[in-house]
Amino acid sequence: MDSEKKTDKKIIYYVLGGAAAGAVAGYIVNKVGFKNIVNVLKTKKIIPENLIKTISEFTSNKSDDNFDLDD
């Protein structure tokens, strides 16, 4: 039974560590800005150009979808 308690603590520590890492990443993105981070990743060629285009499509503010109710 003692090994089961250690496993449960490990899972809790992983979850808390992931939450802390997510909070730090969210704070950095909030302060620096998502577009600035994407521009740095684009200029250093860390992520591929086609992935940058996909991210830009989802994060753009303008709506290019023209759906009609008749369709």
Side-chain angles (χ1 to χ4, degrees):
M1 284 201 169
D2 195 27
S3 64
E4 289 180 23
K5 288 185 179 180
K6 288 182 182 178
T7 304
D8 292 338
K9 285 185 179 180
K10 281 185 180 180
I11 292 171
I12 291 172
Y13 291 146
Y14 282 127
V15 169
L16 291 176
V24 169
Y27 178 77
I28 291 172
V29 168
N30 190 19
K31 288 294 179 182
V32 174
F34 184 74
K35 288 187 179 185
N36 291 335
I37 293 173
V38 170
N39 286 336
V40 168
L41 294 175
K42 188 188 318 181
T43 57
K44 300 234 181 206
K45 296 190 180 195
I46 295 174
I47 52 179
E49 185 68 30
N50 58 356
L51 187 60
I52 292 286
K53 289 179 183 177
T54 304
I55 292 171
S56 297
E57 286 178 12
F58 282 110
T59 58
S60 66
N61 290 334
K62 60 182 178 179
S63 176
D64 292 337
D65 298 331
N66 294 326
F67 294 116
D68 294 333
L69 295 175
D70 296 334
D71 291 342

